[in-house]
Amino acid sequence: MITKRIIPCLDVRDGRVVKGVNFEGLRDVNSPVALAEYYSSCGADELVFYDITASAEGRRLFTDILRETAKRVFIPLTVGGGINTTDDFDRVLKCGADKVSVNSGAIRNPNLIAEAARLYGSQCVVLSADIKRVDGVFRVFARGGRDNTGLEAIDWIRRAVDNGAGEIVVNSIDTDGVKKGFDLEMLQAVCAAVSVPVIASGGAGCIEDFITLFNAVPGVDAGLAASIFHFGEVKIADLKNEMARCGIPARR
Amino acid sequence: MIGIIDYGVGNLFSLQSSFAAIGCEAVVSGDREQLRKADRLILPGVGAFEDAARQLRESGLDSFVKDAAAAGTPIMGICLGMQMLFEKSLEFGEHKGLGLLKGTVVPMAGRIDPTLKIPHIGWNSLHMTKESPLFAYTPEGTHVYFVHSFFADGCEDSLIAETEYSIPITAAVQKDNVYGCQFHPEKSGAAGLQILRAFCGEVKA
Protein backbone atom coordinates (compact mmCIF):
# COMPACT_ATOMS: atom_id res chain seq x y z
CA MET A 1 0.00 0.00 0.00
CA ILE A 2 1.23 3.50 -0.78
CA THR A 3 2.48 5.25 2.34
CA LYS A 4 1.79 8.72 3.68
CA ARG A 5 4.92 10.81 3.28
CA ILE A 6 6.72 12.84 5.94
CA ILE A 7 8.68 15.77 4.57
CA PRO A 8 11.07 18.05 6.49
CA CYS A 9 11.59 21.49 4.96
CA LEU A 10 14.90 23.36 5.24
CA ASP A 11 15.18 27.12 4.73
CA VAL A 12 18.50 27.93 3.11
CA ARG A 13 20.13 31.36 2.88
CA ASP A 14 23.53 31.85 1.27
CA GLY A 15 24.08 28.10 1.28
CA ARG A 16 23.38 27.64 5.00
CA VAL A 17 20.31 26.43 6.86
CA VAL A 18 18.84 29.38 8.73
CA LYS A 19 17.66 29.22 12.32
CA GLY A 20 19.94 26.23 12.77
CA VAL A 21 18.88 23.04 14.35
CA ASN A 22 19.28 21.23 17.58
CA PHE A 23 20.47 17.68 17.18
CA GLU A 24 22.93 15.73 19.17
CA GLY A 25 25.73 14.21 17.18
CA LEU A 26 25.42 16.54 14.24
CA ARG A 27 28.61 18.54 14.01
CA ASP A 28 27.59 21.25 11.56
CA VAL A 29 23.97 22.02 12.32
CA ASN A 30 23.79 24.69 9.63
CA SER A 31 25.03 22.52 6.79
CA PRO A 32 22.19 21.62 4.42
CA VAL A 33 24.17 18.61 3.18
CA ALA A 34 24.74 17.21 6.68
CA LEU A 35 21.12 17.82 7.64
CA ALA A 36 19.79 16.24 4.47
CA GLU A 37 21.90 13.15 5.12
CA TYR A 38 20.69 13.06 8.69
CA TYR A 39 17.01 13.29 7.71
CA SER A 40 17.43 10.74 4.96
CA SER A 41 18.98 8.28 7.43
CA CYS A 42 16.17 8.70 9.97
CA GLY A 43 13.39 7.95 7.53
CA ALA A 44 12.30 11.22 5.90
CA ASP A 45 10.43 10.34 2.71
CA GLU A 46 11.41 13.44 0.82
CA LEU A 47 13.16 16.75 1.45
CA VAL A 48 12.31 20.32 0.57
CA PHE A 49 15.02 22.95 0.24
CA TYR A 50 13.64 26.43 0.29
CA ASP A 51 16.04 29.07 -0.99
CA ILE A 52 15.44 32.38 0.78
CA THR A 53 18.55 34.01 -0.68
CA ALA A 54 18.22 37.43 -2.22
CA SER A 55 21.60 37.83 -3.93
CA ALA A 56 23.10 36.25 -7.05
CA GLU A 57 26.08 35.09 -4.97
CA GLY A 58 23.74 33.37 -2.50
CA ARG A 59 21.95 31.71 -5.39
CA ARG A 60 25.25 30.29 -6.67
CA LEU A 61 26.00 28.92 -3.20
CA PHE A 62 22.54 27.37 -3.16
CA THR A 63 23.08 25.47 -6.39
CA ASP A 64 26.46 24.30 -5.09
CA ILE A 65 24.96 22.85 -1.94
CA LEU A 66 22.10 21.37 -3.94
CA ARG A 67 24.56 19.53 -6.15
CA GLU A 68 26.51 18.36 -3.10
CA THR A 69 23.29 17.12 -1.45
CA ALA A 70 22.04 15.32 -4.54
CA LYS A 71 25.38 13.50 -4.71
CA ARG A 72 24.83 12.04 -1.27
CA VAL A 73 21.11 11.87 -0.56
CA PHE A 74 19.01 9.44 -2.57
CA ILE A 75 15.46 10.39 -1.72
CA PRO A 76 13.32 12.84 -3.72
CA LEU A 77 14.48 16.43 -3.40
CA THR A 78 12.15 19.37 -4.01
CA VAL A 79 13.47 22.89 -4.43
CA GLY A 80 11.51 26.09 -3.96
CA GLY A 81 12.18 29.80 -3.55
CA GLY A 82 13.03 32.27 -6.27
CA ILE A 83 11.58 30.16 -9.08
CA ASN A 84 10.26 32.67 -11.63
CA THR A 85 11.17 31.29 -15.04
CA THR A 86 11.79 27.98 -16.78
CA ASP A 87 15.50 28.92 -16.65
CA ASP A 88 15.19 28.72 -12.88
CA PHE A 89 13.71 25.22 -13.27
CA ASP A 90 16.59 24.29 -15.50
CA ARG A 91 19.18 25.63 -13.05
CA VAL A 92 17.99 23.57 -10.08
CA LEU A 93 17.05 20.43 -12.03
CA LYS A 94 20.59 20.28 -13.45
CA CYS A 95 21.93 20.31 -9.89
CA GLY A 96 19.91 17.28 -8.89
CA ALA A 97 16.46 18.54 -7.83
CA ASP A 98 13.64 16.13 -8.69
CA LYS A 99 10.76 18.55 -8.31
CA VAL A 100 10.51 22.32 -8.36
CA SER A 101 8.01 24.21 -6.30
CA VAL A 102 6.59 27.50 -7.57
CA ASN A 103 4.69 30.08 -5.56
CA SER A 104 4.91 33.84 -6.24
CA GLY A 105 6.56 33.13 -9.61
CA ALA A 106 3.42 31.36 -10.82
CA ILE A 107 1.27 34.30 -9.69
CA ARG A 108 3.46 36.81 -11.56
CA ASN A 109 3.74 34.64 -14.66
CA PRO A 110 0.51 32.69 -15.29
CA ASN A 111 2.18 30.63 -18.05
CA LEU A 112 5.02 29.35 -15.87
CA ILE A 113 3.29 26.15 -14.72
CA ALA A 114 2.11 25.16 -18.20
CA GLU A 115 5.52 25.87 -19.77
CA ALA A 116 7.41 23.97 -17.08
CA ALA A 117 5.01 21.01 -17.24
CA ARG A 118 5.48 20.82 -21.00
CA LEU A 119 9.28 20.97 -20.71
CA TYR A 120 9.89 18.79 -17.65
CA GLY A 121 6.66 16.88 -17.05
CA SER A 122 3.91 17.43 -14.47
CA GLN A 123 5.64 15.13 -11.98
CA CYS A 124 8.27 17.82 -11.60
CA VAL A 125 6.01 20.86 -11.09
CA VAL A 126 4.75 21.52 -7.57
CA LEU A 127 2.46 24.45 -6.79
CA SER A 128 3.01 25.82 -3.32
CA ALA A 129 0.19 28.06 -2.17
CA ASP A 130 0.21 30.30 0.94
CA ILE A 131 -3.42 30.59 1.93
CA LYS A 132 -5.22 32.71 4.52
CA ARG A 133 -8.86 33.28 5.32
CA VAL A 134 -9.98 36.83 4.55
CA ASP A 135 -13.62 37.53 5.47
CA GLY A 136 -14.29 33.80 5.40
CA VAL A 137 -12.78 33.26 1.92
CA PHE A 138 -9.56 31.34 1.26
CA ARG A 139 -7.20 33.83 -0.43
CA VAL A 140 -3.78 33.26 -1.99
CA PHE A 141 -0.96 35.34 -0.58
CA ALA A 142 2.31 36.13 -2.34
CA ARG A 143 5.82 37.18 -1.30
CA GLY A 144 6.10 34.85 1.67
CA GLY A 145 2.59 35.56 2.88
CA ARG A 146 2.90 39.37 2.85
CA ASP A 147 0.63 40.32 -0.08
CA ASN A 148 -2.99 39.40 -0.57
CA THR A 149 -3.29 38.63 -4.29
CA GLY A 150 -7.07 38.59 -4.14
CA LEU A 151 -7.06 35.21 -5.87
CA GLU A 152 -9.57 32.71 -4.50
CA ALA A 153 -7.41 29.78 -3.40
CA ILE A 154 -9.45 26.77 -4.52
CA ASP A 155 -9.98 28.27 -7.97
CA TRP A 156 -6.27 29.13 -8.22
CA ILE A 157 -5.23 25.60 -7.30
CA ARG A 158 -7.73 24.03 -9.69
CA ARG A 159 -6.39 26.15 -12.55
CA ALA A 160 -2.79 25.27 -11.67
CA VAL A 161 -3.64 21.56 -11.83
CA ASP A 162 -5.39 22.07 -15.18
CA ASN A 163 -2.20 23.76 -16.40
CA GLY A 164 -0.08 20.80 -15.33
CA ALA A 165 0.91 21.16 -11.66
CA GLY A 166 1.54 17.60 -10.45
CA GLU A 167 1.41 18.21 -6.71
CA ILE A 168 0.05 20.88 -4.39
CA VAL A 169 1.59 22.13 -1.14
CA VAL A 170 -1.10 23.81 0.93
CA ASN A 171 0.45 26.14 3.46
CA SER A 172 -2.09 27.63 5.81
CA ILE A 173 -0.95 31.03 7.04
CA ASP A 174 -3.72 30.83 9.65
CA THR A 175 -2.20 27.80 11.36
CA ASP A 176 1.48 28.28 10.46
CA GLY A 177 3.69 28.68 13.52
CA VAL A 178 0.79 28.18 15.93
CA LYS A 179 1.65 24.50 16.53
CA LYS A 180 -1.97 23.59 17.27
CA GLY A 181 -2.40 21.26 14.29
CA PHE A 182 -2.85 21.39 10.54
CA ASP A 183 -5.65 23.38 8.88
CA LEU A 184 -8.03 20.47 8.34
CA GLU A 185 -10.85 22.56 6.91
CA MET A 186 -8.63 24.19 4.28
CA LEU A 187 -7.03 20.85 3.35
CA GLN A 188 -10.44 19.21 3.05
CA ALA A 189 -11.50 21.92 0.60
CA VAL A 190 -8.36 21.51 -1.55
CA CYS A 191 -8.57 17.69 -1.57
CA ALA A 192 -12.18 17.86 -2.70
CA ALA A 193 -11.22 20.12 -5.62
CA VAL A 194 -8.22 18.33 -7.17
CA SER A 195 -7.10 14.77 -7.84
CA VAL A 196 -3.31 15.27 -7.68
CA PRO A 197 -1.33 14.63 -4.48
CA VAL A 198 -1.80 17.21 -1.71
CA ILE A 199 0.90 18.02 0.85
CA ALA A 200 -0.20 19.62 4.12
CA SER A 201 1.94 22.37 5.62
CA GLY A 202 1.61 24.73 8.54
CA GLY A 203 0.59 24.04 12.10
CA ALA A 204 2.17 20.76 13.16
CA GLY A 205 3.21 20.87 16.79
CA CYS A 206 3.34 17.23 17.83
CA ILE A 207 3.04 13.66 16.57
CA GLU A 208 -0.68 13.62 17.30
CA ASP A 209 -1.22 16.47 14.81
CA PHE A 210 0.01 14.24 11.96
CA ILE A 211 -2.18 11.34 13.10
CA THR A 212 -5.21 13.65 13.21
CA LEU A 213 -4.31 15.03 9.79
CA PHE A 214 -4.14 11.65 8.04
CA ASN A 215 -7.22 10.30 9.80
CA ALA A 216 -9.39 13.39 9.32
CA VAL A 217 -8.40 14.19 5.71
CA PRO A 218 -7.69 10.88 3.93
CA GLY A 219 -7.02 12.74 0.68
CA VAL A 220 -3.84 14.28 2.09
CA ASP A 221 -0.74 12.41 0.88
CA ALA A 222 2.00 14.00 2.94
CA GLY A 223 2.73 16.18 5.94
CA LEU A 224 5.43 18.84 5.77
CA ALA A 225 7.02 20.64 8.69
CA ALA A 226 10.17 22.50 9.59
CA SER A 227 11.01 23.63 13.10
CA ILE A 228 9.42 20.75 15.02
CA PHE A 229 11.75 18.39 13.16
CA HIS A 230 14.76 20.70 13.34
CA PHE A 231 14.44 21.21 17.08
CA GLY A 232 13.82 17.55 17.76
CA GLU A 233 10.31 18.12 19.17
CA VAL A 234 9.13 15.43 16.78
CA LYS A 235 11.51 12.65 15.78
CA ILE A 236 10.67 11.18 12.40
CA ALA A 237 11.28 7.60 13.56
CA ASP A 238 8.83 8.07 16.49
CA LEU A 239 6.30 9.67 14.17
CA LYS A 240 6.51 6.77 11.71
CA ASN A 241 6.12 4.24 14.52
CA GLU A 242 3.05 6.02 15.84
CA MET A 243 1.55 6.23 12.33
CA ALA A 244 2.02 2.49 11.89
CA ARG A 245 0.50 1.83 15.33
CA CYS A 246 -2.56 3.86 14.31
CA GLY A 247 -2.96 1.97 11.06
CA ILE A 248 -1.66 4.78 8.84
CA PRO A 249 0.63 3.36 6.12
CA ALA A 250 4.20 4.53 6.78
CA ARG A 251 7.59 3.64 5.36
CA ARG A 252 9.93 2.55 8.16
CA MET B 1 31.73 0.04 -15.84
CA ILE B 2 28.07 1.04 -16.06
CA GLY B 3 26.91 2.91 -19.16
CA ILE B 4 24.00 5.28 -18.55
CA ILE B 5 22.42 5.88 -21.94
CA ASP B 6 21.95 9.60 -22.56
CA TYR B 7 19.51 10.28 -25.38
CA GLY B 8 18.54 13.75 -24.20
CA VAL B 9 15.70 12.77 -21.88
CA GLY B 10 15.71 13.57 -18.19
CA ASN B 11 18.20 14.39 -15.58
CA LEU B 12 20.87 11.77 -15.05
CA PHE B 13 22.75 13.48 -12.23
CA SER B 14 21.15 11.47 -9.39
CA LEU B 15 21.51 8.21 -11.25
CA GLN B 16 25.22 8.75 -11.83
CA SER B 17 25.68 9.90 -8.22
CA SER B 18 23.94 6.82 -6.87
CA PHE B 19 26.36 4.52 -8.70
CA ALA B 20 29.24 6.59 -7.35
CA ALA B 21 27.80 6.14 -3.85
CA ILE B 22 28.01 2.34 -4.15
CA GLY B 23 31.50 2.49 -5.61
CA CYS B 24 30.54 1.66 -9.20
CA GLU B 25 32.04 3.64 -12.02
CA ALA B 26 29.31 4.94 -14.31
CA VAL B 27 29.52 7.08 -17.41
CA VAL B 28 26.68 9.09 -18.88
CA SER B 29 26.97 9.06 -22.64
CA GLY B 30 25.08 9.15 -25.89
CA ASP B 31 28.10 7.91 -27.83
CA ARG B 32 27.80 4.26 -28.82
CA GLU B 33 31.59 3.74 -28.93
CA GLN B 34 31.86 4.82 -25.33
CA LEU B 35 28.75 2.89 -24.30
CA ARG B 36 30.13 -0.22 -25.96
CA LYS B 37 32.91 -0.24 -23.32
CA ALA B 38 30.32 -0.63 -20.55
CA ASP B 39 29.65 -4.12 -19.25
CA ARG B 40 26.19 -3.13 -18.00
CA LEU B 41 23.74 -0.56 -19.34
CA ILE B 42 21.03 1.62 -17.85
CA LEU B 43 18.19 2.98 -19.98
CA PRO B 44 16.70 5.91 -18.07
CA GLY B 45 13.67 7.98 -19.00
CA VAL B 46 11.10 10.48 -17.76
CA GLY B 47 8.28 12.35 -19.45
CA ALA B 48 6.09 11.21 -22.31
CA PHE B 49 6.54 7.83 -24.02
CA GLU B 50 6.15 9.17 -27.55
CA ASP B 51 8.79 11.93 -27.13
CA ALA B 52 11.26 9.62 -25.42
CA ALA B 53 10.84 6.81 -27.96
CA ARG B 54 11.31 9.32 -30.78
CA GLN B 55 14.45 10.76 -29.22
CA LEU B 56 15.88 7.30 -28.67
CA ARG B 57 15.19 6.48 -32.31
CA GLU B 58 16.54 9.77 -33.66
CA SER B 59 19.73 9.38 -31.66
CA GLY B 60 20.13 5.96 -33.28
CA LEU B 61 20.55 4.45 -29.83
CA ASP B 62 17.45 2.25 -30.19
CA SER B 63 19.37 -0.17 -32.41
CA PHE B 64 22.36 0.02 -30.05
CA VAL B 65 20.12 -1.05 -27.14
CA LYS B 66 18.60 -3.90 -29.15
CA ASP B 67 22.03 -5.12 -30.28
CA ALA B 68 23.44 -4.93 -26.75
CA ALA B 69 20.45 -6.86 -25.39
CA ALA B 70 20.84 -9.52 -28.11
CA ALA B 71 24.56 -9.79 -27.31
CA GLY B 72 23.70 -10.59 -23.68
CA THR B 73 24.79 -7.33 -22.04
CA PRO B 74 22.77 -6.79 -18.84
CA ILE B 75 20.53 -3.79 -19.41
CA MET B 76 18.11 -2.19 -16.99
CA GLY B 77 15.35 0.24 -17.92
CA ILE B 78 14.20 2.64 -15.21
CA CYS B 79 10.71 4.18 -15.09
CA LEU B 80 9.91 5.28 -18.66
CA GLY B 81 13.12 3.50 -19.70
CA MET B 82 11.56 0.26 -18.48
CA GLN B 83 8.29 0.99 -20.27
CA MET B 84 10.20 1.40 -23.53
CA LEU B 85 11.49 -2.19 -23.28
CA PHE B 86 7.97 -3.47 -24.07
CA GLU B 87 6.26 -4.00 -27.41
CA LYS B 88 4.05 -0.94 -27.31
CA SER B 89 2.50 1.81 -25.22
CA LEU B 90 -1.05 3.12 -25.23
CA GLU B 91 0.03 6.46 -23.73
CA PHE B 92 -1.90 9.08 -25.75
CA GLY B 93 -2.24 6.96 -28.89
CA GLU B 94 -0.34 3.81 -29.74
CA HIS B 95 3.45 3.87 -29.90
CA LYS B 96 5.98 1.18 -30.66
CA GLY B 97 8.51 0.24 -28.00
CA LEU B 98 11.79 -1.65 -28.30
CA GLY B 99 10.01 -4.99 -28.14
CA LEU B 100 12.62 -6.63 -25.90
CA LEU B 101 9.89 -7.76 -23.49
CA LYS B 102 6.38 -9.04 -24.08
CA GLY B 103 3.67 -6.67 -22.87
CA THR B 104 1.87 -3.37 -23.36
CA VAL B 105 2.12 -0.14 -21.38
CA VAL B 106 -1.39 0.93 -20.38
CA PRO B 107 -2.90 3.87 -18.45
CA MET B 108 -3.84 3.50 -14.77
CA ALA B 109 -6.88 5.67 -15.41
CA GLY B 110 -9.94 3.47 -15.83
CA ARG B 111 -8.16 0.45 -14.31
CA ILE B 112 -7.49 1.44 -10.72
CA ASP B 113 -9.92 2.51 -7.99
CA PRO B 114 -11.15 5.92 -9.23
CA THR B 115 -10.72 7.50 -5.80
CA LEU B 116 -6.95 6.90 -5.95
CA LYS B 117 -4.67 9.60 -7.28
CA ILE B 118 -2.90 9.55 -10.62
CA PRO B 119 0.09 9.82 -10.95
CA HIS B 120 0.96 7.11 -8.46
CA ILE B 121 3.52 9.19 -6.54
CA GLY B 122 5.26 8.02 -3.41
CA TRP B 123 6.69 5.07 -1.54
CA ASN B 124 5.01 1.74 -2.12
CA SER B 125 6.01 -1.80 -1.15
CA LEU B 126 7.39 -4.55 -3.38
CA HIS B 127 5.83 -7.97 -3.59
CA MET B 128 8.22 -10.39 -5.26
CA THR B 129 6.60 -12.80 -7.69
CA LYS B 130 9.72 -14.58 -8.93
CA GLU B 131 13.32 -14.91 -7.80
CA SER B 132 15.76 -12.58 -9.49
CA PRO B 133 19.40 -11.63 -8.90
CA LEU B 134 18.22 -8.00 -8.96
CA PHE B 135 16.61 -8.52 -5.55
CA ALA B 136 19.47 -10.49 -4.02
CA TYR B 137 19.65 -7.94 -1.18
CA THR B 138 16.00 -6.82 -1.15
CA PRO B 139 13.49 -8.33 1.28
CA GLU B 140 9.79 -8.76 0.50
CA GLY B 141 7.81 -5.64 1.44
CA THR B 142 10.64 -3.16 0.83
CA HIS B 143 9.38 0.35 0.07
CA VAL B 144 10.59 2.06 -3.10
CA TYR B 145 9.72 5.38 -4.74
CA PHE B 146 7.30 5.48 -7.68
CA VAL B 147 6.22 8.33 -9.98
CA HIS B 148 4.09 7.20 -12.94
CA SER B 149 0.65 7.21 -14.55
CA PHE B 150 1.07 4.21 -16.88
CA PHE B 151 2.21 0.66 -16.22
CA ALA B 152 3.23 -2.51 -18.05
CA ASP B 153 0.46 -5.05 -18.54
CA GLY B 154 0.46 -8.55 -20.00
CA CYS B 155 4.07 -9.13 -18.98
CA GLU B 156 3.58 -12.24 -16.82
CA ASP B 157 6.59 -13.98 -18.38
CA SER B 158 9.03 -11.27 -17.21
CA LEU B 159 7.30 -10.07 -14.00
CA ILE B 160 9.52 -10.32 -10.90
CA ALA B 161 7.79 -7.85 -8.54
CA GLU B 162 4.55 -5.97 -8.29
CA THR B 163 3.15 -3.27 -6.05
CA GLU B 164 -0.42 -2.78 -4.94
CA TYR B 165 -2.38 0.31 -5.96
CA SER B 166 -5.91 -1.08 -5.64
CA ILE B 167 -4.77 -3.55 -8.33
CA PRO B 168 -1.36 -5.24 -8.78
CA ILE B 169 0.94 -2.88 -10.71
CA THR B 170 4.08 -4.13 -12.46
CA ALA B 171 7.02 -2.92 -10.36
CA ALA B 172 9.97 -4.84 -11.82
CA VAL B 173 10.65 -7.25 -14.66
CA GLN B 174 13.44 -9.51 -15.86
CA LYS B 175 13.85 -11.74 -18.87
CA ASP B 176 17.36 -13.17 -19.17
CA ASN B 177 19.70 -10.15 -19.33
CA VAL B 178 16.94 -7.55 -19.75
CA TYR B 179 15.79 -5.88 -16.51
CA GLY B 180 13.35 -3.12 -15.68
CA CYS B 181 12.17 -1.13 -12.65
CA GLN B 182 9.05 1.02 -12.77
CA PHE B 183 10.19 2.72 -9.55
CA HIS B 184 13.30 4.88 -9.16
CA PRO B 185 16.06 2.94 -7.36
CA GLU B 186 18.20 6.10 -7.42
CA LYS B 187 15.49 7.87 -5.36
CA SER B 188 14.60 4.98 -3.05
CA GLY B 189 17.15 5.62 -0.33
CA ALA B 190 19.31 2.79 1.01
CA ALA B 191 16.87 0.19 -0.35
CA GLY B 192 17.27 1.57 -3.86
CA LEU B 193 21.06 1.54 -3.64
CA GLN B 194 20.89 -2.16 -2.69
CA ILE B 195 19.01 -2.87 -5.91
CA LEU B 196 21.62 -0.97 -7.96
CA ARG B 197 24.34 -2.82 -6.06
CA ALA B 198 22.76 -6.15 -7.02
CA PHE B 199 22.58 -5.05 -10.65
CA CYS B 200 26.30 -4.24 -10.53
CA GLY B 201 27.32 -7.43 -8.74
CA GLU B 202 24.81 -10.28 -8.57
CA VAL B 203 23.73 -9.81 -12.17
CA LYS B 204 26.41 -11.53 -14.23
CA ALA B 205 27.77 -9.58 -17.16
Side-chain angles (χ1 to χ4, degrees):
Chain A
M1 196 190 288
I2 194 154
T3 61
K4 300 290 183 184
R5 286 173 276 158
I6 298 300
I7 308 175
C9 176
L10 304 176
D11 283 346
V12 180
R13 183 165 54 211
D14 300 327
R16 305 287 284 166
V17 176
V18 296
K19 286 193 273 190
V21 292
N22 183 15
F23 288 132
E24 277 177 48
L26 201 63
R27 267 177 306 171
D28 183 355
V29 295
N30 293 106
S31 156
V33 183
L35 260 180
E37 280 188 311
Y38 172 80
Y39 278 129
S40 172
S41 71
C42 50
D45 295 309
E46 208 166 307
L47 287 170
V48 174
F49 273 15
Y50 206 78
D51 184 11
I52 56 169
T53 299
S55 66
E57 170 63 7
R59 200 120 293 172
R60 195 186 58 72
L61 288 168
F62 181 78
T63 44
D64 285 349
I65 63 109
L66 186 57
R67 202 178 294 116
E68 223 28 64
T69 306
K71 266 186 203 160
R72 285 150 70 170
V73 177
F74 302 104
I75 58 175
L77 200 54
T78 301
V79 166
I83 305 293
N84 294 304
T85 63
T86 53
D87 284 348
D88 291 324
F89 269 77
D90 210 52
R91 174 174 57 87
V92 296
L93 288 171
K94 280 206 177 103
C95 296
D98 298 291
K99 308 184 211 180
V100 182
S101 135
V102 295
N103 191 328
S104 300
I107 298 166
R108 275 194 292 271
N109 172 5
N111 295 323
L112 181 60
I113 289 176
E115 277 176 52
R118 186 177 55 78
L119 285 170
Y120 308 108
S122 286
Q123 84 290 335
C124 167
V125 184
V126 181
L127 173 74
S128 175
D130 293 330
I131 307 173
K132 186 176 159 59
R133 288 169 185 77
V134 180
D135 300 328
V137 180
F138 294 130
R139 296 288 181 194
V140 179
F141 278 64
R143 297 209 313 128
R146 289 193 291 272
D147 300 345
N148 183 353
T149 64
L151 291 163
E152 197 278 313
I154 304 300
D155 178 57
W156 167 242
I157 288 170
R158 208 182 269 130
R159 272 191 287 149
V161 172
D162 288 344
N163 284 331
E167 258 180 341
I168 308 294
V169 176
V170 176
N171 184 45
S172 169
I173 299 174
D174 293 325
T175 59
D176 194 25
V178 182
K179 295 192 177 180
K180 292 256 172 72
F182 290 96
D183 197 327
L184 304 177
E185 184 198 28
M186 187 184 289
L187 289 158
Q188 199 83 260
V190 174
C191 286
V194 295
S195 62
V196 298
V198 172
I199 298 168
S201 162
C206 61
I207 286 179
E208 198 50 44
D209 290 338
F210 287 89
I211 305 297
T212 305
L213 167 73
F214 294 127
N215 281 333
V217 195
V220 166
D221 298 88
L224 180 148
S227 61
I228 56 158
F229 293 138
H230 303 334
F231 295 110
E233 291 159 58
V234 169
K235 291 198 172 59
I236 291 177
D238 296 344
L239 169 55
K240 294 282 189 83
N241 285 337
E242 185 60 12
M243 284 167 65
R245 204 185 61 81
C246 297
I248 298 163
R251 177 181 76 106
R252 288 189 291 166
Chain B
M1 188 187 76
I2 309 289
I4 301 172
I5 302 170
D6 181 7
Y7 56 103
V9 170
N11 179 355
L12 309 176
F13 184 86
S14 296
L15 201 47
Q16 192 175 22
S17 303
S18 57
F19 281 110
I22 58 169
C24 268
E25 194 197 347
V27 293
V28 173
S29 176
D31 175 55
R32 55 178 66 209
E33 284 316 309
Q34 203 175 356
L35 289 170
R36 210 163 270 141
K37 293 183 195 137
D39 53 15
R40 292 175 177 79
L41 293 166
I42 296 284
L43 182 64
V46 292
F49 190 98
E50 187 182 10
D51 292 344
R54 191 187 55 240
Q55 274 185 256
L56 189 66
R57 220 168 26 244
E58 284 173 0
S59 65
L61 289 166
D62 59 335
S63 58
F64 169 80
V65 171
K66 285 185 196 172
D67 292 347
T73 306
I75 174 160
M76 179 158 77
I78 294 177
C79 198
L80 183 62
M82 161 190 149
Q83 296 185 353
M84 288 202 296
L85 300 173
F86 290 93
E87 293 159 308
K88 62 179 175 180
S89 169
L90 304 182
E91 181 182 326
F92 309 120
E94 184 172 327
H95 312 285
K96 224 170 142 244
L98 291 164
L100 296 173
L101 298 174
K102 231 182 271 172
T104 302
V105 178
V106 299
M108 285 186 179
R111 288 177 171 81
I112 63 164
D113 174 345
T115 64
L116 288 177
K117 298 186 183 186
I118 297 175
H120 172 223
I121 299 187
W123 297 79
N124 208 335
S125 54
L126 291 174
H127 167 58
M128 317 304 184
T129 59
K130 209 187 286 172
E131 236 178 83
S132 167
L134 192 61
F135 294 135
Y137 315 129
T138 305
E140 169 77 21
T142 295
H143 284 99
V144 289
Y145 188 77
F146 290 86
V147 184
H148 63 125
S149 305
F150 295 79
F151 69 101
D153 192 31
C155 53
E156 295 73 17
D157 66 329
S158 61
L159 186 74
I160 57 171
E162 47 192 31
T163 192
E164 185 260 305
Y165 200 50
S166 78
I167 59 168
I169 297 283
T170 301
V173 288
Q174 183 208 340
K175 183 99 170 86
D176 305 322
N177 56 316
V178 178
Y179 294 76
C181 295
Q182 179 61 68
F183 54 90
H184 286 272
E186 79 282 15
K187 285 291 153 192
S188 297
L193 294 184
Q194 289 291 53
I195 292 167
L196 295 179
R197 194 173 275 132
F199 182 70
C200 295
E202 296 294 317
V203 169
K204 296 294 167 238

